[in-house]
Amino acid sequence: MQDLTKIAPTDTTTPQDAASILDVSNLRTYFYTDEGVVRAVDGINYSVAPGETLGIVGESGSGKTVAALSLMRLIEDPARIVSGEIKFDGRDIVTMSLEELRKVRGAGIAMVFQDPMTSLNPVLKIARQLVETMVVHGRLTEEQALDRAIKLLGRMGITAPERAVDSYPHQFSGGMRQRVMLAMGFSNEPQLLIADEPTTALDVTIQAQILELIVELNRDFKTAIVLISHNLGVIASVCSRVVVMYAGEVVEEGPTDKILADPRHPYTWALINAVPRIDRHVPGQRRLVTIEGAPPDPLNLPAGCRFAARCPFRIEKCEQHPELLEISPGRKSRCWVTQAGQDLPPPETSRDAPAEAKARTGGHHGETVIKRGERLLELRNVVKHFPLPKTTLFGKQKWVHAINGVSLDVAQGETVGLVGESGCGKSTLARVVARIHEPTSGSVMFHGQDIARASQAQIRPLRRRMQMVFQDPYASLNPRMTVGDILGEPLRFHEITQSEKETRERIAELLDVVGLTPKAATRYPHEFSGGQRQRISIARALSVRPDFIIADEPISALDVNIQAQIINLLIDLQERFGLTYLFIAHDLAVVRHISDRVVVLYLGSVMEIAPADTLFAEPLHPYTRYLISAVPIPDATIEAARQRLPLQGEPPSTVDPPSGCPFRTRCPIAQAICAQVMPPVAEVRPSHFVACHFPGQF
Amino acid sequence: MPRYIVSRLGLAVVMALLATLVIFLIANTVPGDPALAQLGDLAASNPDFLKAFRAKWALDEPLWTRYFIFLKELAHGDLGMSIASQRPVLDDIKNYAPATIELATVGFLLSAVIGVPLGVIAAVRRDSWVDHVARFVSLIGVSSPTFWLAFIMLAIFYGELQIAPGPGRLDPIAFAPPNVTGLFLIDSIFAGDWNTFRDALAHLVLPSIVLAAATLGLITRTTRASVLECMHQDYVRVARAKGLSERKIVMRHILPNALIPVVTLGGLAYANLLTGAVMTETIFSWPGLGRYTFRSAAALDFPAIMGITLVVAVTYLIINLLIDISYALLDPRVIR
Ligand SMILES: Nc1ncnc2c1ncn2[C@@H]1O[C@H](COP(=O)(O)OP(=O)(O)O)[C@@H](O)[C@H]1O
Ligand code: SF4
Ligand code: SF4
Ligand SMILES: [Mg+2]
């Protein structure tokens, strides 16, 4: 067997020339549940050529994962493949014996799953898990396999691989574990690697590293890749061809660059236009293009076009079910309109909130007059350290240095975005501001009152003016309360409404404001979709008429189209009620889109603060540059031309942070002084603050 | 790992000291004269006895001093005199403990050796006949009262079918093997006396089944649930995607994870069998701690009860320590 760790010469034949190694035709995988049959995968067709990179994109629940698992017959009860063929290397996986199938699994086709934290067995050493993958196919002995495992880990960019194989999974970060999974996937030189959302659980910087690695591996080993993602940017940075799925069907297929530039199915069109772009921002154009509604109920799919209920291009014929047909060479679409040769014009972008909404501004706050620009929140040297639980009885107390001296002003009516890798202290800072946590030191002035040390009783009147919205709308809504009770509770508690009748009216009004029907009041949170639940959370936050809202990753758990709906809602509400936002997200494009100013946080310290456009156009801190560069752009041409800055490694431990500049361990331009002196946050240009000894020199 | 064990050990020692303190305080604050309570009426009516007793335990000194004396005596193995037997409590316990240890261990092994595989197979072959059998076994085991089960067993296998021996550890006419460990099975092996070995084993069958029933049910049920949960973990799907055989997946990927909670449960169940077999021992005339406990309680034999309480506490502490250590061995995440 050839040594995988050597880089093979590049092949000159283009993949499309060769016959396909994977041919999926008319594949149907259904779930036989108690409520009925879920047609999760409902007749999909596609093929993969040797060495090709194919992307599969679609919103959650569209059947991407079930389709991928079906390829290796990994689906479990109550799911069954009910029809179709999966030809791999000329043989049909659907009908082959279990014995034969086991020889394909892990050897011919390998798979990398979404969540690296749960994909490795926690009680087995990395070595064992890698070695068994190779040994089970009988090609290597244990010693050879161990040797190769170490080489592969090295190839995947794991430092000290000899030590790493001897570790247990919990000793690794998510990014490292995904590298181990990739090593496992490539260990038998498969002809095909299926990666199901391999970077969704990771930070952008780590995502960029992993995607880069996948591209390299595809080039060096000629392994065909099927990359599943809901993120068009991720697909664009890796895949040459893309398949778009909607409600269990393929609705569009073609070369990535062509589809992104000129989508031929209204769903793809909506998907592309719903995502804010980090590389371009049109001032004044804040609302995103969204399609209303949600995907159809998989238990009850419509007879006609499955996208019809949300489609802005719908015609009468759409009551019949369209087929997936070739509309131009190499491109297929499942849409009556584009099959008839019609174009999908770029969306009209409404410039601002509807006039009708604006007229209502002011009614919300009653007596309070909002003066934009007045200082609402002032953080000075906020520090928050958490004690780490002791592992031994007499051990030394260790501390997590979550926030290390953050100073920040937020003015009335503005939106301040907070970005940084996971674990950098975004949520902790939000919680300190909301006084869910008491800061270890420093001051938090809200409406001119220091709440850092105030008692809960003193804070209570201010609670009304400051509300929080969380990432997981389900976890933050009491499942046993109706939506009406959830919204009514703060109204009664803060005595905002005087009578039951008034409360009911106010609840109806709130539901209307966030775009839900008044009937929602009698229902329970689990009866709503993720996006609707987030609307309920927002309504609850609004119920007490706050002027300040802290939104901690409010859209991270949502699909792009639903994200766009929520972003639009937040923008509308801000214009209507003059709200101030502290907006936390790891999606930089979204932050750029929604924020007036952006704060970059690293290891609990501020790296850079600047107006959004300035920050993204001219980042002065090396870390900010890396962050921006890591974001994949949903444009194949730009992605192909882009030289990505490779930020190596992962953030150091918050228990034992580096001396001086926290970024110095990963900074390419670090000097001796950086290890000694923590650079102060200095106003390098007007309203552009940077904490770096050498701003703009990278 | 050594640090972890030392820290757990330290904790166990602290807990043991606390137990002695509690026992001491109860003995010394219970109404009336501790001398009277601990000596019994007869001995207490003898002034010489009383004087010696007061001097030995320094009853006129403050409580703390007395506690340290108590600890010192304890360290020398002195748990006081049993009122009923008029022998040192420690000797009594030494006498009765082996029978209990033998019974509890056989009972525990029985429930583990049957319960774990049954639970695993029931989970892997869900809704098959094995699963139904497992469900039946655990239902019977957990829900039938011990005395009822014991009488049924005795009535059927001893009374009706006459294939099982009657109560007791050995036939009434047989002699116990030379005492080495006090465990008849082991001592008879040492002595090379296979007849006694067979006799002891035969006498263990019914009581150990009765004793094992509830534990068996619990272990089967827990194992099944735990395996079922692990079967749906992502890493199992990953293992399947590697091309491993189902047997390897179960043995190497599911079991090491699924058995972690079973170890905790099993350990506690064993401690429970060691310390709580009063009913079974009484019905089967088993000369073990359970019967000693019952008798001492009935006779209000205060020193004996204190001694037993201490033994129970220490048993639990030791088994907890063992559980903690095996936890660390099974699950690398326990020690960082
Ligand atoms: N265990 C299950 N029982 C019933 N329905 C399921 C189950 N798992 C997935 N589904 C359904 O299958 C469909 C496709 O899901 P999935 O393949 O996970 O989508 P994606 O990967 O595109 O997010 C969805 O409608 C989902 O509700
Ligand atoms: S077929 Fe009709 S409803 Fe369906 S996507 Fe095309 S235009 Fe829209
Ligand atoms: S202060 Fe030094 S180490 Fe820190 S970012 Fe600037 S140049 Fe890099
Ligand atoms: Mg999925």
Side-chain angles (χ1 to χ4, degrees):
Chain A
M1 178 180 285
Q2 98 186 70
D3 184 353
L4 257 195
T5 56
K6 286 204 191 88
I7 290 173
T10 7
D11 199 348
T12 42
T13 54
T14 58
Q16 275 79 4
D17 297 344
S20 53
I21 53 160
L22 182 76
D23 253 310
V24 182
S25 53
N26 196 29
L27 177 68
R28 289 173 204 274
T29 306
Y30 292 177
F31 285 83
Y32 292 87
T33 68
D34 294 340
E35 287 88 52
V37 180
V38 175
R39 285 143 69 183
V41 173
D42 205 10
I44 60 169
N45 299 283
Y46 64 84
S47 58
V48 184
E52 194 192 11
T53 47
L54 176 74
I56 298 187
V57 72
E59 61 200 311
S60 62
S62 58
K64 306 183 297 293
T65 298
V66 175
L69 292 174
S70 302
L71 295 186
M72 282 216 262
R73 268 169 60 191
L74 286 172
I75 45 168
E76 288 161 24
D77 268 352
R80 268 211 314 274
I81 297 177
V82 293
S83 78
E85 254 186 6
I86 303 167
K87 277 267 168 65
F88 174 69
D89 233 3
R91 290 177 305 156
D92 185 11
I93 287 185
V94 176
T95 53
M96 71 172 53
S97 73
L98 254 180
E99 234 9 77
E100 272 183 285
L101 180 63
R102 266 216 301 280
K103 288 187 195 128
V104 173
R105 287 176 177 171
I109 309 178
M111 191 155 177
V112 173
F113 297 88
Q114 169 167 356
D115 191 352
M117 303 314 268
T118 57
S119 290
L120 287 164
N121 192 327
V123 307
L124 297 183
K125 283 189 176 164
I126 301 289
R128 192 91 296 301
Q129 306 193 42
L130 279 169
V131 165
E132 71 178 2
T133 317
M134 294 179 252
V135 171
V136 68
H137 293 289
R139 295 203 223 155
L140 295 178
T141 63
E142 295 257 340
E143 295 86 69
Q144 289 171 322
L146 183 62
D147 200 45
R148 192 177 148 76
I150 293 172
K151 285 201 189 113
L152 276 168
L153 286 182
R155 175 69 188 81
M156 300 300 152
I158 288 184
T159 45
E162 303 81 9
R163 247 206 350 248
V165 286
D166 230 13
S167 318
Y168 287 100
H170 71 272
Q171 291 163 303
F172 284 163
S173 66
M176 286 300 186
R177 289 187 211 193
Q178 207 57 303
R179 287 173 197 273
V180 173
M181 292 307 295
L182 281 172
M184 210 179 267
F186 279 97
S187 60
N188 289 313
E189 297 180 58
Q191 287 154 281
L192 174 66
L193 180 88
I194 306 163
D196 186 5
E197 310 250 12
T199 58
T200 302
L202 307 174
D203 273 312
V204 273
T205 51
I206 311 297
Q207 165 170 290
Q209 294 171 8
I210 298 287
L211 294 179
E212 195 78 38
L213 186 58
I214 290 178
V215 169
E216 275 175 37
L217 293 170
N218 165 256
R219 193 186 57 215
D220 298 348
F221 300 154
K222 312 236 177 24
T223 299
I225 309 269
V226 171
L227 179 69
I228 299 168
S229 180
H230 65 278
N231 185 328
L232 283 165
V234 166
I235 299 274
S237 68
V238 174
C239 302
S240 57
R241 219 152 52 86
V242 61
V243 162
V244 183
M245 283 188 70
Y246 186 78
E249 294 179 322
V250 173
V251 292
E252 181 163 11
E253 188 195 318
T256 312
D257 49 350
K258 299 226 172 79
I259 287 195
L260 289 176
D262 174 25
R264 303 250 113 207
H265 190 281
Y267 173 64
T268 321
W269 174 92
L271 210 55
I272 292 170
N273 289 302
V275 283
R277 290 272 294 262
I278 193 169
D279 58 328
R280 55 171 99 113
H281 179 65
V282 187
Q285 179 192 315
R286 297 187 72 199
R287 302 191 94 251
L288 292 164
V289 177
T290 62
I291 42 175
E292 288 312 312
D297 176 4
L299 283 168
N300 201 0
L301 293 169
C305 173
R306 293 185 182 169
F307 189 57
R310 304 165 78 186
C311 183
F313 301 96
R314 186 178 45 234
I315 53 175
E316 209 166 297
K317 201 172 179 192
C318 301
E319 275 162 34
Q320 294 160 38
H321 191 239
E323 291 301 313
L324 183 67
L325 295 180
E326 185 151 82
I327 46 166
S328 62
R331 296 200 60 174
K332 293 179 188 166
S333 168
R334 191 189 285 277
C335 170
W336 295 120
V337 169
T338 54
Q339 282 170 8
Q342 220 170 300
D343 273 344
L344 303 178
E348 282 174 36
T349 44
S350 58
R351 290 237 138 198
D352 257 317
E356 161 266 334
K358 270 196 164 164
R360 282 154 74 177
T361 312
H364 178 64
H365 283 273
E367 68 287 357
T368 10
V369 186
I370 308 294
K371 281 198 222 97
R372 202 182 151 95
E374 226 168 67
R375 208 173 278 170
L376 181 84
L377 179 74
E378 255 182 80
L379 305 184
R380 287 294 171 269
N381 291 316
V382 171
V383 173
K384 178 68 192 174
H385 294 173
F386 295 102
L388 212 59
K390 286 192 189 181
T391 46
T392 53
L393 207 55
F394 311 105
K396 195 169 149 261
Q397 178 66 60
K398 290 184 180 153
W399 296 86
V400 175
H401 299 239
I403 299 288
N404 305 307
V406 167
S407 300
L408 172 68
D409 291 341
V410 177
Q412 200 103 243
E414 78 170 334
T415 301
V416 173
L418 197 54
V419 296
E421 285 162 291
S422 63
C424 73
K426 303 185 293 289
S427 290
T428 308
L429 190 61
R431 282 152 183 249
V432 166
V433 171
R435 259 312 300 277
I436 296 171
H437 292 323
E438 184 176 329
T440 308
S441 66
S443 70
V444 179
M445 303 285 278
F446 182 64
H447 277 296
Q449 185 181 341
D450 189 356
I451 58 170
R453 301 268 162 275
S455 69
Q456 288 302 324
Q458 287 167 307
I459 296 169
R460 193 160 301 137
L462 292 175
R463 279 247 183 281
R464 268 190 61 176
R465 316 189 66 169
M466 158 157 47
Q467 286 288 308
M468 240 179 129
V469 175
F470 299 92
Q471 168 170 4
D472 184 351
Y474 198 52
S476 59
L477 297 174
N478 185 340
R480 274 184 260 284
M481 282 165 78
T482 63
V483 170
D485 289 337
I486 288 171
L487 299 181
E489 191 181 50
L491 294 176
R492 295 183 193 107
F493 180 77
H494 290 286
E495 289 165 13
I496 289 166
T497 49
Q498 310 309 325
S499 66
E500 268 317 293
K501 183 167 160 285
E502 205 185 327
T503 307
R504 271 197 306 278
E505 283 169 8
R506 176 79 184 136
I507 290 170
E509 186 190 330
L510 283 166
L511 288 171
D512 178 55
V513 162
V514 297
L516 294 171
T517 74
K519 269 185 277 174
T522 56
R523 288 156 59 192
Y524 289 88
H526 71 87
E527 297 174 59
F528 296 87
S529 68
Q532 289 171 323
R533 286 200 285 255
Q534 201 55 290
R535 287 174 192 269
I536 298 167
S537 306
I538 293 171
R540 179 180 58 183
L542 290 177
S543 64
V544 296
R545 303 182 184 170
D547 35 31
F548 183 43
I549 287 187
I550 303 164
D552 188 359
E553 305 262 8
I555 55 165
S556 303
L558 307 173
D559 276 309
V560 282
N561 187 55
I562 313 293
Q563 276 189 5
Q565 292 175 7
I566 299 292
I567 292 172
N568 285 349
L569 174 66
L570 288 172
I571 292 172
D572 281 354
L573 293 173
Q574 182 168 47
E575 282 166 1
R576 245 168 110 168
F577 304 129
L579 295 171
T580 308
Y581 290 137
L582 181 61
F583 186 90
I584 300 172
H586 62 258
D587 186 334
L588 274 85
V590 168
V591 170
R592 163 168 216 182
H593 181 82
I594 198 170
S595 308
D596 298 313
R597 283 191 308 138
V598 175
V599 180
V600 181
L601 216 55
Y602 184 78
L603 230 57
S605 300
V606 169
M607 297 289 102
E608 187 160 4
I609 304 178
D613 286 332
T614 319
L615 187 97
F616 284 92
E618 277 181 275
L620 293 179
H621 196 284
Y623 178 59
T624 316
R625 286 207 59 194
Y626 276 122
L627 266 189
I628 295 171
S629 160
V631 179
I633 295 173
D635 182 317
T637 334
I638 294 181
E639 269 302 322
R642 212 148 81 108
Q643 190 65 47
R644 189 155 278 144
L645 298 171
L647 176 56
Q648 300 302 336
E650 308 195 1
S653 154
T654 50
V655 176
D656 194 13
S659 64
C661 170
F663 188 58
R664 73 173 166 85
T665 54
R666 295 165 88 189
C667 180
I669 58 164
Q671 306 285 323
I673 186 180
C674 305
Q676 289 146 16
V677 184
M678 163 92 194
V681 183
E683 188 161 9
V684 174
R685 293 182 193 159
S687 39
H688 193 153
F689 299 82
V690 187
C692 174
H693 293 302
F694 310 101
Q697 292 191 18
F698 172 52
Chain B
M1 187 74 186
R3 264 186 73 169
Y4 172 81
I5 294 178
V6 167
S7 131
R8 290 286 128 169
L9 203 61
L11 204 65
V13 169
V14 172
M15 298 292 284
L17 277 176
L18 266 176
T20 60
L21 183 63
V22 170
I23 289 168
F24 170 81
L25 285 178
I26 293 173
N28 282 274
T29 50
V30 158
D33 187 351
L36 212 67
Q38 308 229 344
L39 282 176
D41 291 336
L42 192 69
S45 60
N46 181 334
D48 289 341
F49 257 36
L50 204 60
K51 221 167 116 199
F53 184 86
R54 294 196 85 91
K56 179 177 169 194
W57 298 105
L59 284 189
D60 305 318
E61 301 286 321
L63 215 55
W64 278 114
T65 324
R66 275 153 56 196
Y67 176 57
F68 285 116
I69 292 172
F70 171 79
L71 276 187
K72 209 173 75 199
E73 293 300 324
L74 201 61
H76 294 128
D78 188 349
L79 293 173
M81 293 291 273
S82 159
I83 299 167
S85 71
Q86 286 302 316
R87 296 185 328 145
V89 169
L90 190 71
D91 287 359
D92 274 354
I93 288 177
K94 271 191 196 154
N95 254 332
Y96 287 103
T100 292
I101 293 175
E102 192 164 61
L103 179 60
T105 307
V106 171
F108 174 70
L109 288 179
L110 205 62
S111 52
V113 165
I114 299 174
V116 170
L118 191 59
V120 172
I121 299 173
V124 174
R125 306 234 173 288
R126 207 176 163 184
D127 290 328
S128 70
W129 64 269
V130 184
D131 193 13
H132 296 309
V133 167
R135 198 166 306 145
F136 183 72
V137 165
S138 40
L139 188 72
I140 295 289
V142 173
S143 63
S144 41
T146 306
F147 68 88
W148 180 84
L149 201 60
F151 279 127
I152 294 277
M153 296 288 253
L154 272 175
I156 296 180
F157 295 101
Y158 172 60
E160 197 61 34
L161 301 176
Q162 307 215 332
I163 50 172
R169 289 180 83 187
L170 289 173
D171 266 357
I173 49 160
F175 291 102
N179 189 354
V180 184
T181 58
L183 310 173
F184 285 0
L185 288 181
I186 291 181
D187 286 354
S188 59
I189 291 176
F190 282 164
D193 181 355
W194 297 108
N195 283 332
T196 310
F197 180 81
R198 232 172 290 130
D199 190 27
L201 193 61
H203 275 84
L204 270 166
V205 172
L206 288 190
S208 60
I209 288 178
V210 169
L211 197 62
T215 316
L216 171 66
L218 222 56
I219 288 184
T220 309
R221 197 189 270 176
T222 312
T223 308
R224 181 181 180 273
S226 178
V227 169
L228 270 183
E229 195 192 313
C230 286
M231 275 167 64
H232 296 290
Q233 297 295 318
D234 286 352
Y235 55 76
V236 172
R237 181 178 280 167
V238 171
R240 200 161 282 134
K242 287 176 185 177
L244 297 186
S245 66
E246 286 304 306
R247 215 183 70 88
K248 272 224 176 84
I249 292 172
V250 172
M251 300 303 284
R252 196 179 278 164
H253 285 270
I254 297 179
L255 282 193
N257 285 287
L259 290 187
I260 293 171
V262 179
V263 166
T264 312
L265 177 93
L268 289 177
Y270 185 43
N272 200 23
L273 293 186
L274 280 171
T275 59
V278 178
M279 184 86 72
T280 314
E281 290 189 359
T282 308
I283 294 174
F284 284 94
S285 314
W286 201 261
L289 281 180
R291 266 190 42 206
Y292 184 56
T293 310
F294 180 70
R295 240 193 271 147
S296 309
L300 292 177
D301 187 344
F302 213 69
I305 294 171
M306 288 297 145
I308 292 166
T309 313
L310 199 63
V311 167
V312 169
V314 170
T315 306
Y316 269 97
L317 284 174
I318 291 174
I319 288 194
N320 250 319
L321 186 65
L322 292 179
I323 292 175
D324 279 350
I325 291 172
S326 48
Y327 229 91
L329 290 175
L330 287 172
D331 190 345
R333 287 164 297 187
V334 170
I335 16 176
R336 264 161 293 174

